[in-house]
Amino acid sequence: MIVGLDVGGTHTDVVVLQGKEIVRKVKVLTDEEDLLKTVCFGVFQAIQGLEVKSIERVVVSTTLATNAIVQEKIEPVGVLVASGPGINPWAYVIGDHYYPVRGAIDHRGIELASINDSEILEIGKELSYKNIHNLALVSKFSVRNPSLEFKMRDLLADNFQSVTLGHKLSGHLNFGRRIATAYLNAAVTQISRKFYNAAKGCIEKEGIQVPLEILKADGGTMAQEVTEQYAVETILSGPAASVMGTLTFADRTKEEVVLDIGGTTTDIAILVDGVPLLKPLGIRMGGFNTLVRGLRTFSLGVGGDSWVRLEGGELKVGPERKGRALAYGGPEPTPTDALVALGLGQGGQKQRAIEGIRRLAERMGESLEEAAEKVVSKTCALILETVNALVERVNQQPVYTIHELLKGRQINPSGLIVIGGPAKELAPRLESMSGWQARVPPNYDVANAIGAAIARTTCEVTVLANTNRRHVIAPEEGYVDTIDWRATKKEVIRIAFDLLRKKALRLGAHEENLEMELLEDNEFRMVQGFYPVGRNIRVRAQVKPGLIYPYSEAGA
Amino acid sequence: MKAKRKTGLVLFPAFDWAISETHPEREERLLYTQDQIFEEGILDIEGLLEFNPSLASTKEVGRVHFCVPKAESVVTESHYISAGGCITVAEAVLEGKVDCGFALVRPPGHHAMRVVHGARGFCNINNEAIMIEQMRQVHGVDRVAIVDTDCHHGDGTQNIYWHDPDTLFISMHQDGNTLYPGSGFPREMGGPNALGTTVNIPLPPRTSEEGFLYVMDRVVLPILEEFKPEIIINSAGQDNHYSDPITAMNFCAQGYAKLTDKLKPHIAVLEGGYSIEGALPYVNVGIILALAGIDYSWVREPDYDPEEVEQTEEVRGSIIRTCDFLFEEREKCGQKREKYLEGKEFVERSKTVFYDTDNIIEEQKEVIRVCRECAGVLKIDSYADTKNHLLGIRIPRKSCKTCQEIGRKWFEEGNVARFNLVCLQDGVNDEYYVKRK
Ligand SMILES: [Zn+2]
Ligand SMILES: [Zn+2]
């Protein structure tokens, strides 16, 4: 059996799966003030009366880190930044304890200026004096050579409780994002460590002895033991959970769009051959661009509870939400009420909804049905417009080779997978308006918890080889080796997959779920003074976001 | 971080294209620049927009060039993308999506002349000219200035705009006596109908930041002020850098950023620059920040030593003398123009063009009509050792009736038995006509 739990803003959903069967489906209220209690209680409720020995896996998706960041309940962090020449390092200032320091690495990974030990030690003293226990240490181009970050760590680590090194979090180039990512990671490390240790303790108390896994923003999982290194990756796992929950239902040969229509928002994601698209560099969180791998989801301020009104004679839906739908005791008409008025929605106080829509209809000078129709059409039109804009943006993503520019794959969706409260009622309308087949998966109300339950462990590695300097490195993984001057791209790819496998296993993956792929494999002939001197090879590989076996099998 | 000026960027390193195995114009050329741009997080700056390049069309190429024997034989996909990238940036500026932009594209184009038999100076087609004519024919732009800061004389661009009084072409470059292509002297000031709209400032080897900025203040900015262009274009070659392997100048990344800041071009277009590890990453970041109006004071090369590249007294004196001479010569333009108007209706000039990249020699005879009302109709008789013989006729965009009639007559009379290719660029109707054997 597998337990999946997803903490939402108001409800927390838990499912227990036995093969393809859902044996339990539980909804508990989320207590924002005590998420630990929510998680433990949710798991406890779900496994009541089940044989705990047959539980093989527990995955939770929480709002812990997201809330801490959004509500600014994070811990203070000392940020030391070795920038060297380039953009003024003060442009990246983050938090209240930010220190540009001496030291520089260039794009080749050559150390141009070392750090100044006494400067670093001085800052360390100052931070200790200010009672700051977390550090983020970042240098420009540390993903080419992490030596400056290591040197700073060696000088300071003893006096701090958590130390985040920029190059450990991502292999991508982007100094500003690296600083922000390291800062956020350091700011939630201790909160996460405490929380997940406690959560692990509480499931153990229930007699569950399997490792606890945590869902990440990219729709993959990682073992609880490593969350303290990668705490920031647990942000925004909620939207990812829902998307992953639809994958068993996705067509693996097509491009499809997932719509999660909630009360306030509709979250939109794109699937290509059954695999969700990721953000090119990383997600945005708390006003910062990061290097945190995340699904390319977009949140539109239109949902079942969006405020419907006339503005200057024009019908408006959202983005504001005034409360629940009239049918559920809310103050203003909503798309949900329009569905009820059309006889489509079930439950609630039908009469209140009808009255609300009728008042709107009178002002529009139309019949009740016409007005309700218009509200529903407007809602769907807003969603579809955003889908089209998102697809357009994906298709315009920058490319850097002639081949990609002329022959690059263009996304052309042919289907919609709709989940969330009003999914059933809106799907036919979305289908007729878009011309794309719209489907609603069974158990769409707990897709999020299912997604958490069956998501696989994901990760990424970047490997760089320079046959002129005869070295091959993967700084994220602490990997440095020599390479033959005749080495080819094939060899570097093999090293990348090897490192990727090891990393995935360390993060809790099982061998049967290691669906690996190349994200980038470039090879450049290097020339110096009109003579070829070797090759610069760059390979990036990932374990694809997807489902664990046997859910990953088609038709599962 | 936020840009003071909204800035568009086309970054197209063409990682799958090279002239040949070890040629400087190769796949790797913008690799480290891209690394630096990515690492600096330039693309995350608010107000900095990245666009994919479009592909220029053969029609757009035909507005500028006579491709011999036809476009497909001298223009490849990479060239269409490079020119298309410039058009993408220009259109983003004209449509108001951005205030300015930078086309970081390759291959370069400023050595490509009106007639194209092949590649010269690593260039096949002139990216800037194709972009400018698109701005004119489709977007109604008229007066344009090009400031070419590549280390080599922009002889291709000069050739294309030699007779155009609406295009100001200013080139500052390493003295032609010491560097390819060997042209670009102060006396080269434009054809009979466009005297003074070509400006050449040859600089001595080892000119530094001081010298470049001096020329900007003393020559470039005042002449621009006087010309009043609607659009300023910078042919932003980066081979004036002290570390460039094929030139002898002492310019630096800070200097390039300051120059950009002074010039404030609407559109910058990458030209040459082959110090791909030590210069380009820093120079390009400097140019982008300066365009966007972001603090560039921290941008410099890791090995930059101001003392090592300091300008000598001798270099300083030579630059001042060149500028003095240039202004003296410019004084004479009015008088020269009068002489032309009093003289023959048609003026001829002949020259030999060597296509160093493709190893072709072209013999060219050019005839321009001295006209009071327009830029004058132009006829080019071009014979290359590839045995291709072109008669190219150009009716300028704002041509007078007489020049139009002459141009059409020349085209009709063009004998395909003698020339294997007769072409007419009709700038008035924006059409391109071809006759072949
Ligand atoms: Zn050049
Ligand atoms: Zn005329």
Side-chain angles (χ1 to χ4, degrees):
Chain A
M1 284 187 298
I2 300 174
V3 181
L5 177 146
D6 177 50
V7 178
T10 42
H11 288 106
T12 292
D13 294 305
V14 201
V15 294
V16 180
L17 301 178
Q18 170 87 313
K20 288 166 202 170
E21 297 292 314
I22 297 181
V23 294
R24 282 288 161 79
K25 189 154 131 177
V26 173
K27 226 180 228 322
V28 299
L29 280 174
T30 299
D31 180 355
E32 294 267 1
E33 297 306 312
D34 194 347
L35 285 180
L36 184 64
K37 204 177 83 193
T38 305
V39 169
C40 296
F41 183 64
V43 173
F44 176 72
Q45 286 280 307
I47 62 168
Q48 274 295 309
L50 296 175
E51 179 60 60
V52 290
K53 292 236 155 33
S54 55
I55 293 174
E56 308 142 64
R57 184 180 203 226
V58 181
V59 186
V60 302
S61 156
T62 82
T63 48
L64 180 80
T66 309
N67 287 353
I69 292 167
V70 173
Q71 297 162 6
E72 296 183 9
K73 288 179 181 161
I74 47 180
E75 297 195 11
V77 179
V79 184
L80 277 69
V81 162
S83 81
I87 287 179
N88 185 335
W90 286 105
Y92 306 113
V93 63
I94 190 166
D96 299 327
H97 314 283
Y98 181 82
Y99 300 88
V101 300
R102 221 184 84 95
I105 305 274
D106 78 357
H107 57 87
R108 295 164 293 191
I110 294 172
E111 189 176 311
L112 305 166
S114 185
I115 50 157
N116 179 335
D117 290 13
S118 58
E119 181 188 15
I120 303 296
L121 291 168
E122 209 47 52
I123 294 168
K125 265 189 229 154
E126 192 179 319
L127 289 170
S128 296
Y129 178 74
K130 289 187 188 165
N131 248 327
I132 289 159
H133 307 297
N134 306 294
L135 283 179
L137 308 175
V138 185
S139 98
K140 194 175 280 180
F141 284 115
S142 61
V143 292
R144 295 281 163 85
N145 175 358
S147 65
L148 296 182
E149 290 180 3
F150 283 136
K151 281 181 194 158
M152 290 194 275
R153 182 199 61 189
D154 294 345
L155 289 167
L156 297 174
D158 290 347
N159 299 315
F160 293 84
Q161 289 165 12
S162 89
V163 179
T164 299
L165 304 183
H167 74 275
K168 292 278 185 195
L169 297 172
S170 165
H172 282 272
L173 292 174
N174 194 311
F175 185 47
R177 285 180 183 244
R178 189 175 310 122
I179 295 169
T181 311
Y183 166 80
L184 292 174
N185 192 67
V188 297
T189 296
Q190 295 207 65
I191 302 168
S192 303
R193 181 188 295 165
K194 238 168 63 196
F195 180 88
Y196 293 112
N197 280 342
K200 171 81 171 136
C202 99
I203 68 160
E204 274 173 3
K205 231 170 54 204
E206 298 298 330
I208 304 174
Q209 293 299 335
V210 294
L212 174 64
E213 290 181 59
I214 320 295
L215 194 73
K216 304 182 295 169
D218 69 351
T221 68
M222 64 178 160
Q224 171 254 332
E225 291 81 6
V226 297
T227 46
E228 62 183 70
Q229 291 168 45
Y230 305 110
V232 69
E233 298 204 19
T234 64
I235 59 176
L236 293 181
S237 62
S242 302
V243 174
M244 299 312 286
T246 66
L247 292 194
T248 51
F249 202 65
D251 189 321
R252 296 175 196 216
T253 59
K254 289 200 173 109
E255 292 135 21
E256 295 182 298
V257 175
V258 177
L259 298 175
D260 182 359
I261 308 174
T264 322
T265 59
T266 294
D267 289 336
I268 304 166
I270 297 173
L271 307 179
V272 174
D273 301 340
V275 180
L277 284 189
L278 294 179
K279 286 258 185 194
L281 277 176
I283 52 182
R284 196 174 160 79
M285 180 78 232
F288 302 109
N289 286 320
T290 74
L291 290 173
V292 175
R293 270 167 61 97
L295 297 193
R296 195 157 187 165
T297 51
F298 184 85
S299 199
L300 168 71
V302 170
D305 296 343
S306 289
W307 180 29
V308 174
R309 75 281 181 194
L310 287 176
E311 261 180 37
E314 202 191 330
L315 186 66
K316 294 266 179 190
V317 180
E320 221 178 314
R321 173 185 187 260
K322 289 286 184 184
R324 307 191 65 185
L326 288 169
Y328 296 91
E332 293 282 350
T334 67
T336 302
D337 295 314
L339 290 169
V340 172
L342 289 171
L344 291 171
Q346 318 97 354
Q349 306 168 43
K350 203 167 174 199
Q351 212 42 47
R352 277 200 89 208
I354 292 176
E355 277 161 27
I357 300 295
R358 177 161 292 137
R359 278 195 300 278
L360 190 74
E362 276 161 16
R363 266 179 294 147
M364 291 164 70
E366 313 217 15
S367 73
L368 174 72
E369 284 73 25
E370 281 168 344
E373 274 298 336
K374 281 202 171 154
V375 172
V376 174
S377 305
K378 177 84 188 178
T379 306
C380 293
L382 286 170
I383 293 171
L384 292 171
E385 264 168 40
T386 311
V387 168
N388 283 322
L390 193 67
V391 168
E392 174 93 3
R393 262 214 309 281
V394 171
N395 283 337
Q396 283 175 358
Q397 193 166 303
V399 295
Y400 303 109
T401 59
I402 295 169
H403 178 82
E404 283 175 290
L405 188 73
L406 300 178
K407 312 222 161 57
R409 179 168 182 175
Q410 292 281 300
I411 306 290
N412 190 7
S414 59
L416 296 170
I417 301 177
V418 193
I419 58 173
K424 274 220 159 75
E425 293 76 28
L426 289 179
R429 200 62 57 102
L430 289 161
E431 176 166 305
S432 63
M433 287 174 69
S434 66
W436 300 325
Q437 193 197 34
R439 295 166 298 151
V440 179
N443 297 307
Y444 68 97
D445 53 331
V446 287
N448 52 341
I450 296 174
I454 61 179
R456 70 164 69 120
T457 302
T458 54
C459 57
E460 185 178 303
V461 296
T462 307
V463 181
L464 308 167
N466 183 319
T467 62
N468 182 32
R469 284 156 70 185
R470 288 175 202 188
H471 73 198
V472 52
I473 56 169
E476 258 176 293
E477 299 312 297
Y479 175 84
V480 182
D481 207 348
T482 52
I483 197 164
D484 194 87
W485 64 275
R486 287 160 304 197
T488 60
K489 191 166 81 179
K490 226 168 115 188
E491 225 166 310
V492 181
I493 290 174
R494 193 186 48 73
I495 294 170
F497 279 138
D498 198 41
L499 288 170
L500 185 65
R501 163 173 283 113
K502 282 187 191 139
K503 182 175 189 176
L505 295 175
R506 184 164 58 83
L507 299 188
H510 291 269
E511 199 63 56
E512 79 261 27
N513 298 321
L514 292 179
E515 199 183 336
M516 303 191 286
E517 70 172 354
L518 287 175
L519 294 173
E520 191 188 313
D521 58 312
N522 287 314
E523 181 173 20
F524 301 93
R525 290 178 299 106
M526 296 187 295
V527 177
Q528 273 166 20
F530 300 95
Y531 294 99
V533 292
R535 280 178 308 278
N536 189 316
I537 303 169
R538 300 167 173 199
V539 173
R540 195 189 306 277
Q542 71 162 348
V543 177
K544 270 198 231 181
L547 306 179
I548 55 170
Y549 182 82
Y551 305 94
S552 52
E553 298 293 287
Chain B
M1 231 181 311
K2 206 176 159 182
K4 280 209 196 82
R5 283 182 294 276
K6 266 193 159 187
T7 305
L9 191 65
V10 166
L11 173 58
F12 199 76
F15 286 146
D16 46 358
W17 185 82
I19 287 184
S20 71
E21 282 275 308
T22 55
H23 196 282
E25 194 51 72
R26 62 183 183 274
E27 301 95 333
E28 186 199 5
R29 185 170 164 229
L30 291 178
L31 179 62
Y32 312 108
T33 291
Q34 192 198 52
D35 284 350
Q36 195 76 30
I37 286 173
F38 282 0
E39 177 68 354
E40 298 286 359
I42 297 264
L43 303 175
D44 279 337
I45 295 172
E46 204 186 324
L48 211 132
L49 277 68
E50 187 182 12
F51 303 100
N52 267 332
S54 57
L55 265 80
S57 62
T58 28
K59 175 176 173 109
E60 286 154 9
V61 173
R63 272 192 200 122
V64 171
H65 295 293
F66 295 115
C67 294
V68 190
K70 52 185 189 273
E72 301 81 73
S73 53
V74 288
V75 192
T76 68
E77 276 161 352
S78 62
H79 302 108
Y80 284 121
I81 295 171
S82 213
C86 297
I87 291 176
T88 302
V89 171
E91 294 192 328
V93 170
L94 296 177
E95 286 160 10
K97 287 186 199 153
V98 292
D99 301 317
C100 57
F102 188 9
L104 252 167
V105 293
R106 55 179 285 269
H110 76 149
H111 294 302
M113 299 182 166
R114 174 79 64 201
V115 179
V116 180
H117 286 276
R120 52 188 307 275
F122 320 162
C123 304
N124 290 53
I125 55 174
N126 196 297
N127 298 326
E128 287 89 336
I130 291 167
M131 168 181 82
I132 290 168
E133 296 318 307
Q134 174 78 357
M135 289 198 276
R136 286 178 164 153
Q137 292 290 357
V138 179
H139 302 274
V141 170
D142 186 28
R143 285 171 83 77
V144 176
I146 307 160
V147 178
D148 189 322
T149 51
D150 189 277
C151 190
H152 301 90
H153 177 227
D155 56 346
T157 315
Q158 168 167 314
N159 171 269
I160 290 167
Y161 290 112
W162 186 251
H163 298 295
D164 183 359
D166 295 319
T167 306
L168 173 66
F169 175 71
I170 306 178
S171 180
M172 47 207 282
H173 46 263
Q174 187 178 323
D175 187 344
N177 294 317
T178 59
L179 189 69
Y180 177 90
S183 54
F185 297 97
R187 281 199 171 120
E188 297 165 31
M189 291 190 294
N193 300 321
L195 279 163
T197 59
T198 293
V199 181
N200 283 295
I201 310 125
L203 299 168
R206 294 188 309 284
T207 298
S208 311
E209 179 179 329
E210 186 201 308
F212 281 94
L213 299 182
Y214 172 83
V215 172
M216 283 300 294
D217 289 333
R218 170 105 194 265
V219 181
V220 179
L221 297 177
I223 293 178
L224 278 172
E225 179 65 39
E226 188 190 308
F227 183 78
K228 298 204 180 353
E230 296 156 52
I231 295 283
I232 299 173
I233 293 153
N234 180 204
S235 292
Q238 304 176 0
D239 35 12
N240 284 302
H241 195 266
Y242 62 79
S243 64
D244 199 275
I246 61 179
T247 63
M249 302 300 248
N250 272 341
F251 208 23
C252 59
Q254 260 300 306
Y256 267 107
K258 285 180 190 158
L259 183 149
T260 309
D261 204 3
K262 280 180 185 287
L263 184 62
K264 294 205 169 42
H266 297 92
I267 302 150
V269 175
L270 176 69
E271 283 297 337
Y274 300 95
S275 171
I276 65 173
E277 290 190 43
L280 263 60
Y282 308 100
V283 173
N284 281 310
V285 166
I287 291 177
I288 295 169
L289 295 184
L291 282 175
I294 293 171
D295 176 12
Y296 54 80
S297 60
W298 283 65
V299 176
R300 58 171 190 80
E301 307 77 352
D303 62 352
Y304 178 66
D305 177 356
E307 275 172 30
E308 214 158 276
V309 293
E310 210 183 275
Q311 202 166 276
T312 62
E313 206 47 60
E314 191 193 339
V315 168
R316 183 174 301 131
S318 154
I319 294 171
I320 294 172
R321 283 193 300 280
T322 302
C323 293
D324 291 343
F325 179 69
L326 179 92
F327 282 112
E328 280 165 31
E329 288 298 308
R330 286 179 66 77
E331 290 288 310
K332 301 176 191 159
C333 284
Q335 222 181 326
K336 278 190 178 164
R337 170 73 173 156
E338 286 308 316
K339 257 197 187 149
Y340 276 123
L341 289 174
E342 289 159 15
K344 284 193 241 161
E345 187 183 1
F346 295 98
V347 175
E348 274 187 34
R349 68 171 181 164
S350 296
K351 65 174 170 193
T352 304
V353 179
F354 178 52
Y355 293 74
D356 57 303
T357 310
D358 279 350
N359 213 357
I360 296 169
I361 296 173
E362 173 198 2
E363 295 295 342
Q364 210 183 83
K365 200 180 85 188
E366 185 190 275
V367 176
I368 180 90
R369 176 167 184 260
V370 180
C371 184
R372 283 180 190 275
E373 291 166 68
C374 77
V377 62
L378 176 74
K379 178 164 76 174
I380 302 169
D381 176 331
S382 157
Y383 181 79
D385 57 1
T386 53
K387 306 273 186 285
N388 282 316
H389 196 178
L390 160 86
L391 178 68
I393 294 139
R394 177 173 174 82
I395 297 174
R397 186 171 50 105
K398 297 188 293 181
S399 178
C400 70
K401 279 268 166 326
T402 319
C403 284
Q404 286 185 51
E405 278 160 21
I406 295 171
R408 296 211 174 86
K409 201 171 120 235
W410 280 347
F411 180 66
E412 271 160 39
E413 290 169 0
N415 182 354
V416 286
R418 186 171 154 227
F419 303 96
N420 54 2
L421 183 63
V422 180
C423 303
L424 170 66
Q425 281 171 349
D426 182 346
V428 175
N429 298 305
D430 192 21
E431 290 289 350
Y432 189 76
Y433 303 95
V434 186
K435 292 199 292 189
R436 286 176 207 281
K437 215 185 312 193

